[in-house]
Amino acid sequence: MFGKNTTGGVVNVVTKGPDLDRFGGYAKFTYGSFERTEAELVANLPLVEDKIGVRVGTALTHRDGFGRGGAGLALTGRELADDDEIFVRGSLLFRPGEALSVRVNADYHTVDESTSIFRSLRSALGGFIALKSINPDIYVGNDFRADRPFVRSNEFNLNGTIEVDLGAATLSSITSYRTQDSLTLVQSAPSTAVLLGQQSDLYAQELRLAGIAVDGRLKWQVGAFYSDESGVDIDVLKGFSLDTTTAASNKGWSVFTQDSFALTDTLTLTGGVRYTHEKRRVRSLVFTQANKASFDGVSWLVGLDFKPNSDTLLYANVSRGFRSGAIDQDNIATIVQPEFVLNYEVGLKAELFDRRVRFNSAAFYSDYTDIQRTSFDPNSPVPVTVLRNAAQATIWGFEGELNAVPVAGLTLGATVGYTNAKFDKFLDDNGQGVVIDRSDDPIGGPRWQLSASGRYEFDISSVAKAGLQANYFWIGKAILAGPSVAAVLAPGEAILNSYGLLNAQIDLDIADLGGNLGGLNIALFGTNILDKEYYAGGIALALFGGVSNRIVGEPRQWGIRITKEF
């Protein structure tokens, strides 16, 4: 229930904070294929014993492009899919006493590189909208214009967390600020280039009060959240001099509670509810258009945890989430209402055979209503695409994870995931005034995802240990478009073929002067070592006689990585 509103959940990334008692850190250097060079340095510095400490780190990344730009069979000589990044992060922890803790984090990330390798499987509108990539080399991507395709972005984050122990409860204040700007130029034909970007600033403040009561059986939390975001959304179709750039602001607040009560020693009931209110404004920076709207929504969850012993957990929960309403930035007069989802999930987490085997599994079912979708409006007398509450859908599936240590030093792992996603109700238009019923069409994405991994570690001497590892993952066929779009395209152009990638590593761990492993690690690694040619993403549309584009995945790469701890 905490943080910014989300449809179905969040991934909560908790970064490592300063250690107030120990100086330490590590340095890491990587060199590999395509002149890949990476340098990383992290240091932990206690400044005042038990009271003040800092942790700082920086990472520099460079890799030449593994692709080349081209138009037809001709090459432009420009690199595609290179990588240049700089990342800097710092964290300060101040703990003046047992009851008060203050932590401040800041980070900066900048990217300046060319776009991914973008290929068209077919020409559209006589090559005016998209031009088929005919070069047999899959690593030659669209690059037609004088202006080079590029991706540039900068992001700065600053946040501070204050925690106060009040005895019966803990008060937490989380203050955040983020500013970012990005700009991307992609091409699909000599006449077209799309310039997309965003400039935004976000301020957020959250307060939480949490405690334990009823002899430790009740864990309770109440809180409030506020955010204020403003920015510019850049959308320019350069080939047609069409500019739909807009400015937007979003302000929202919410109140929430989430509480768990131990019904018995093995059974726990959890419940939560959240109310969210948001105000949105959008205005065109090209035309005299503007609009504003307000939205409200309630999220909630109910769950049961059953823990028959310390190594087994079974759970079941049901929750309701929503995506806030929106203003269509391409059709500012259009306002769409929130999108809602009802989620059901059951799962098992278990450690077996003296914790030599770990097994996690879950099954889920999600029921979506009022899905926000940009599509043709079947009620319009002329073909026009708008953002609208167009559809209903259900998504269900399961996932499993198994890790085992059959003998000392050997660790084996495997995962499986299955997702079935389709529209239950969706009336669309084919762009020529003909209404299409896309109910039962797949939403898209792969149904199956599998992986297998193994690692074996063994001692070479009393001060050195070696490791051998490999992992293989397989992504099943992904449906990019349903039957109504596939009927316009050639066979195979509405799907993304399945692919599997094999990675491997050999590493050596050498003890430091104190005899502790982890002092120096040298690793030789390879990614996609079978040199599989594959597409990592794509899009398929029925417009202009059919559009089908692909993004090329990375080829085989080798490297060496040296890590020194201190």
Side-chain angles (χ1 to χ4, degrees), residues 12 27 51 70 88 93 116 138 156 165 180 183 231 263 267 274 293 344 350 381 403 410 437 463 465 522 547:
N12 190 21
K51 295 188 183 300
V88 181
L93 176 61
S116 301
I138 192 176
F156 174 74
D165 187 350
Q180 64 177 358
L183 200 60
L263 301 173
L267 188 64
R274 170 193 176 107
Y344 304 86
N403 287 281
L410 178 62
D437 187 353
V463 296
K465 176 182 287 189
I522 302 172
V547 175

mmCIF file of all heavy atoms in Angstrom, residues 12 27 51 70 88 93 116 138 156 165 180 183 231 263 267 274 293 344 350 381 403 410 437 463 465 522 547:
data_model
loop_
_atom_site.group_PDB
_atom_site.id
_atom_site.type_symbol
_atom_site.label_atom_id
_atom_site.label_comp_id
_atom_site.label_asym_id
_atom_site.label_seq_id
_atom_site.Cartn_x
_atom_site.Cartn_y
_atom_site.Cartn_z
ATOM 1 N N ASN A 12 10.764 -3.550 -5.050
ATOM 2 C CA ASN A 12 11.356 -2.657 -4.068
ATOM 3 C C ASN A 12 12.857 -2.931 -3.987
ATOM 4 O O ASN A 12 13.278 -3.976 -3.501
ATOM 5 C CB ASN A 12 10.688 -2.883 -2.699
ATOM 6 C CG ASN A 12 11.092 -1.824 -1.691
ATOM 7 O OD1 ASN A 12 11.534 -0.752 -2.065
ATOM 8 N ND2 ASN A 12 10.948 -2.131 -0.414
ATOM 9 N N ALA A 27 37.123 -2.769 -5.927
ATOM 10 C CA ALA A 27 37.369 -2.192 -7.247
ATOM 11 C C ALA A 27 37.173 -3.309 -8.266
ATOM 12 O O ALA A 27 37.600 -4.450 -8.039
ATOM 13 C CB ALA A 27 38.771 -1.616 -7.342
ATOM 14 N N LYS A 51 28.420 6.639 14.602
ATOM 15 C CA LYS A 51 27.508 7.770 14.419
ATOM 16 C C LYS A 51 27.376 8.219 12.974
ATOM 17 O O LYS A 51 26.265 8.453 12.490
ATOM 18 C CB LYS A 51 27.937 8.957 15.298
ATOM 19 C CG LYS A 51 27.833 8.694 16.788
ATOM 20 C CD LYS A 51 28.074 9.940 17.582
ATOM 21 C CE LYS A 51 28.041 9.671 19.079
ATOM 22 N NZ LYS A 51 26.760 9.135 19.512
ATOM 23 N N GLY A 70 22.568 1.180 -41.982
ATOM 24 C CA GLY A 70 22.493 0.905 -43.403
ATOM 25 C C GLY A 70 21.188 1.340 -44.014
ATOM 26 O O GLY A 70 20.187 1.546 -43.321
ATOM 27 N N VAL A 88 27.182 7.562 -10.758
ATOM 28 C CA VAL A 88 27.814 7.976 -9.506
ATOM 29 C C VAL A 88 26.764 7.925 -8.407
ATOM 30 O O VAL A 88 25.618 8.365 -8.613
ATOM 31 C CB VAL A 88 28.399 9.406 -9.593
ATOM 32 C CG1 VAL A 88 29.080 9.787 -8.281
ATOM 33 C CG2 VAL A 88 29.387 9.507 -10.746
ATOM 34 N N LEU A 93 24.939 8.179 6.289
ATOM 35 C CA LEU A 93 24.136 7.701 7.412
ATOM 36 C C LEU A 93 24.578 8.419 8.674
ATOM 37 O O LEU A 93 25.768 8.431 9.019
ATOM 38 C CB LEU A 93 24.302 6.192 7.592
ATOM 39 C CG LEU A 93 23.580 5.564 8.790
ATOM 40 C CD1 LEU A 93 22.073 5.769 8.683
ATOM 41 C CD2 LEU A 93 23.916 4.075 8.902
ATOM 42 N N SER A 116 19.359 1.057 -30.532
ATOM 43 C CA SER A 116 19.484 -0.365 -30.822
ATOM 44 C C SER A 116 19.366 -0.597 -32.327
ATOM 45 O O SER A 116 19.019 0.305 -33.093
ATOM 46 C CB SER A 116 18.390 -1.140 -30.089
ATOM 47 O OG SER A 116 18.467 -0.937 -28.699
ATOM 48 N N ILE A 138 22.071 -9.472 -40.052
ATOM 49 C CA ILE A 138 21.053 -9.060 -39.094
ATOM 50 C C ILE A 138 21.504 -7.869 -38.254
ATOM 51 O O ILE A 138 20.683 -7.127 -37.712
ATOM 52 C CB ILE A 138 20.671 -10.249 -38.181
ATOM 53 C CG1 ILE A 138 19.408 -9.936 -37.374
ATOM 54 C CG2 ILE A 138 21.828 -10.623 -37.265
ATOM 55 C CD1 ILE A 138 18.916 -11.093 -36.539
ATOM 56 N N PHE A 156 19.005 12.432 -12.140
ATOM 57 C CA PHE A 156 19.554 12.711 -10.814
ATOM 58 C C PHE A 156 18.479 12.429 -9.776
ATOM 59 O O PHE A 156 17.330 12.865 -9.918
ATOM 60 C CB PHE A 156 20.003 14.169 -10.705
ATOM 61 C CG PHE A 156 20.435 14.552 -9.312
ATOM 62 C CD1 PHE A 156 21.648 14.109 -8.797
ATOM 63 C CD2 PHE A 156 19.619 15.348 -8.515
ATOM 64 C CE1 PHE A 156 22.032 14.462 -7.511
ATOM 65 C CE2 PHE A 156 19.999 15.693 -7.238
ATOM 66 C CZ PHE A 156 21.216 15.251 -6.732
ATOM 67 N N ASP A 165 12.410 6.344 16.680
ATOM 68 C CA ASP A 165 11.828 5.326 17.544
ATOM 69 C C ASP A 165 11.078 6.019 18.674
ATOM 70 O O ASP A 165 11.688 6.652 19.539
ATOM 71 C CB ASP A 165 12.932 4.422 18.097
ATOM 72 C CG ASP A 165 12.379 3.230 18.873
ATOM 73 O OD1 ASP A 165 11.162 3.205 19.139
ATOM 74 O OD2 ASP A 165 13.171 2.338 19.218
ATOM 75 N N GLN A 180 14.940 14.265 -14.556
ATOM 76 C CA GLN A 180 15.474 13.464 -15.650
ATOM 77 C C GLN A 180 15.137 14.105 -16.988
ATOM 78 O O GLN A 180 14.135 14.824 -17.125
ATOM 79 C CB GLN A 180 14.920 12.038 -15.602
ATOM 80 C CG GLN A 180 13.412 11.949 -15.797
ATOM 81 C CD GLN A 180 12.915 10.509 -15.826
ATOM 82 O OE1 GLN A 180 13.679 9.564 -15.731
ATOM 83 N NE2 GLN A 180 11.617 10.341 -15.966
ATOM 84 N N LEU A 183 16.219 11.844 -24.666
ATOM 85 C CA LEU A 183 15.910 12.163 -26.053
ATOM 86 C C LEU A 183 16.392 11.005 -26.915
ATOM 87 O O LEU A 183 17.538 10.557 -26.790
ATOM 88 C CB LEU A 183 16.598 13.466 -26.478
ATOM 89 C CG LEU A 183 16.026 14.194 -27.700
ATOM 90 C CD1 LEU A 183 14.572 14.582 -27.447
ATOM 91 C CD2 LEU A 183 16.851 15.426 -28.012
ATOM 92 N N GLY A 231 6.544 18.204 -16.255
ATOM 93 C CA GLY A 231 7.526 17.956 -17.292
ATOM 94 C C GLY A 231 6.992 18.185 -18.683
ATOM 95 O O GLY A 231 5.858 18.639 -18.879
ATOM 96 N N LEU A 263 -3.514 -14.896 13.772
ATOM 97 C CA LEU A 263 -4.685 -15.582 14.313
ATOM 98 C C LEU A 263 -4.262 -16.738 15.212
ATOM 99 O O LEU A 263 -4.893 -17.007 16.241
ATOM 100 C CB LEU A 263 -5.555 -16.090 13.169
ATOM 101 C CG LEU A 263 -6.067 -15.011 12.202
ATOM 102 C CD1 LEU A 263 -6.778 -15.663 11.022
ATOM 103 C CD2 LEU A 263 -6.991 -14.035 12.915
ATOM 104 N N LEU A 267 -0.900 -19.118 11.515
ATOM 105 C CA LEU A 267 -1.804 -18.492 10.543
ATOM 106 C C LEU A 267 -1.892 -16.991 10.784
ATOM 107 O O LEU A 267 -2.199 -16.552 11.897
ATOM 108 C CB LEU A 267 -3.190 -19.116 10.644
ATOM 109 C CG LEU A 267 -4.213 -18.706 9.572
ATOM 110 C CD1 LEU A 267 -3.748 -19.157 8.194
ATOM 111 C CD2 LEU A 267 -5.579 -19.298 9.903
ATOM 112 N N ARG A 274 -6.162 1.625 0.598
ATOM 113 C CA ARG A 274 -5.508 2.875 0.224
ATOM 114 C C ARG A 274 -6.474 3.707 -0.615
ATOM 115 O O ARG A 274 -7.119 3.189 -1.540
ATOM 116 C CB ARG A 274 -4.241 2.571 -0.594
ATOM 117 C CG ARG A 274 -3.590 3.800 -1.251
ATOM 118 C CD ARG A 274 -2.556 3.342 -2.262
ATOM 119 N NE ARG A 274 -1.960 4.469 -2.986
ATOM 120 C CZ ARG A 274 -0.730 4.918 -2.793
ATOM 121 N NH1 ARG A 274 0.047 4.333 -1.911
ATOM 122 N NH2 ARG A 274 -0.264 5.940 -3.496
ATOM 123 N N ALA A 293 -8.043 17.231 -15.442
ATOM 124 C CA ALA A 293 -8.981 16.230 -14.928
ATOM 125 C C ALA A 293 -8.511 15.768 -13.558
ATOM 126 O O ALA A 293 -7.321 15.862 -13.221
ATOM 127 C CB ALA A 293 -9.084 15.042 -15.882
ATOM 128 N N TYR A 344 -5.679 -12.305 -8.048
ATOM 129 C CA TYR A 344 -5.741 -13.446 -7.136
ATOM 130 C C TYR A 344 -4.411 -14.194 -7.237
ATOM 131 O O TYR A 344 -3.898 -14.397 -8.340
ATOM 132 C CB TYR A 344 -6.878 -14.400 -7.505
ATOM 133 C CG TYR A 344 -8.247 -13.761 -7.572
ATOM 134 C CD1 TYR A 344 -8.686 -13.148 -8.747
ATOM 135 C CD2 TYR A 344 -9.108 -13.778 -6.474
ATOM 136 C CE1 TYR A 344 -9.939 -12.568 -8.824
ATOM 137 C CE2 TYR A 344 -10.374 -13.208 -6.548
ATOM 138 C CZ TYR A 344 -10.781 -12.602 -7.727
ATOM 139 O OH TYR A 344 -12.026 -12.029 -7.795
ATOM 140 N N ALA A 350 9.224 -23.111 0.149
ATOM 141 C CA ALA A 350 9.650 -24.176 1.044
ATOM 142 C C ALA A 350 11.145 -24.427 0.909
ATOM 143 O O ALA A 350 11.711 -24.333 -0.191
ATOM 144 C CB ALA A 350 8.880 -25.463 0.733
ATOM 145 N N PRO A 381 -16.436 8.743 -37.335
ATOM 146 C CA PRO A 381 -16.768 8.637 -38.765
ATOM 147 C C PRO A 381 -15.527 8.597 -39.655
ATOM 148 O O PRO A 381 -15.602 8.170 -40.813
ATOM 149 C CB PRO A 381 -17.597 9.894 -39.025
ATOM 150 C CG PRO A 381 -17.171 10.856 -37.965
ATOM 151 C CD PRO A 381 -16.857 10.035 -36.757
ATOM 152 N N ASN A 403 15.913 -24.644 -6.513
ATOM 153 C CA ASN A 403 17.352 -24.601 -6.303
ATOM 154 C C ASN A 403 17.741 -25.781 -5.419
ATOM 155 O O ASN A 403 17.051 -26.065 -4.427
ATOM 156 C CB ASN A 403 17.776 -23.290 -5.632
ATOM 157 C CG ASN A 403 17.699 -22.115 -6.571
ATOM 158 O OD1 ASN A 403 18.578 -21.905 -7.394
ATOM 159 N ND2 ASN A 403 16.632 -21.334 -6.456
ATOM 160 N N LEU A 410 28.190 -28.042 -5.403
ATOM 161 C CA LEU A 410 27.383 -28.015 -6.629
ATOM 162 C C LEU A 410 26.003 -27.423 -6.338
ATOM 163 O O LEU A 410 25.289 -27.922 -5.460
ATOM 164 C CB LEU A 410 27.229 -29.421 -7.190
ATOM 165 C CG LEU A 410 26.355 -29.551 -8.447
ATOM 166 C CD1 LEU A 410 26.950 -28.768 -9.609
ATOM 167 C CD2 LEU A 410 26.152 -31.020 -8.817
ATOM 168 N N ASP A 437 -13.796 -6.961 -34.199
ATOM 169 C CA ASP A 437 -13.950 -7.508 -32.854
ATOM 170 C C ASP A 437 -12.669 -8.256 -32.497
ATOM 171 O O ASP A 437 -12.400 -9.340 -33.010
ATOM 172 C CB ASP A 437 -15.149 -8.452 -32.795
ATOM 173 C CG ASP A 437 -15.441 -8.901 -31.375
ATOM 174 O OD1 ASP A 437 -14.633 -8.581 -30.472
ATOM 175 O OD2 ASP A 437 -16.464 -9.576 -31.157
ATOM 176 N N VAL A 463 44.261 -21.479 -0.152
ATOM 177 C CA VAL A 463 44.044 -20.043 -0.330
ATOM 178 C C VAL A 463 43.364 -19.711 -1.658
ATOM 179 O O VAL A 463 43.281 -18.547 -2.042
ATOM 180 C CB VAL A 463 45.365 -19.258 -0.222
ATOM 181 C CG1 VAL A 463 45.957 -19.378 1.176
ATOM 182 C CG2 VAL A 463 46.364 -19.736 -1.284
ATOM 183 N N LYS A 465 40.066 -20.888 -4.564
ATOM 184 C CA LYS A 465 38.895 -21.675 -4.918
ATOM 185 C C LYS A 465 38.501 -21.332 -6.352
ATOM 186 O O LYS A 465 38.549 -20.164 -6.764
ATOM 187 C CB LYS A 465 37.740 -21.371 -3.972
ATOM 188 C CG LYS A 465 36.438 -22.085 -4.316
ATOM 189 C CD LYS A 465 35.325 -21.688 -3.359
ATOM 190 C CE LYS A 465 35.541 -22.315 -2.002
ATOM 191 N NZ LYS A 465 34.365 -22.112 -1.112
ATOM 192 N N ILE A 522 39.055 -13.393 -10.209
ATOM 193 C CA ILE A 522 39.284 -13.245 -11.646
ATOM 194 C C ILE A 522 38.292 -14.151 -12.364
ATOM 195 O O ILE A 522 38.219 -15.346 -12.070
ATOM 196 C CB ILE A 522 40.719 -13.627 -12.028
ATOM 197 C CG1 ILE A 522 41.724 -12.767 -11.242
ATOM 198 C CG2 ILE A 522 40.943 -13.459 -13.527
ATOM 199 C CD1 ILE A 522 43.165 -13.208 -11.429
ATOM 200 N N VAL A 547 2.763 -2.905 -40.980
ATOM 201 C CA VAL A 547 4.078 -2.517 -40.470
ATOM 202 C C VAL A 547 4.550 -3.617 -39.528
ATOM 203 O O VAL A 547 3.800 -4.055 -38.656
ATOM 204 C CB VAL A 547 4.021 -1.172 -39.718
ATOM 205 C CG1 VAL A 547 5.380 -0.845 -39.097
ATOM 206 C CG2 VAL A 547 3.573 -0.052 -40.649
#
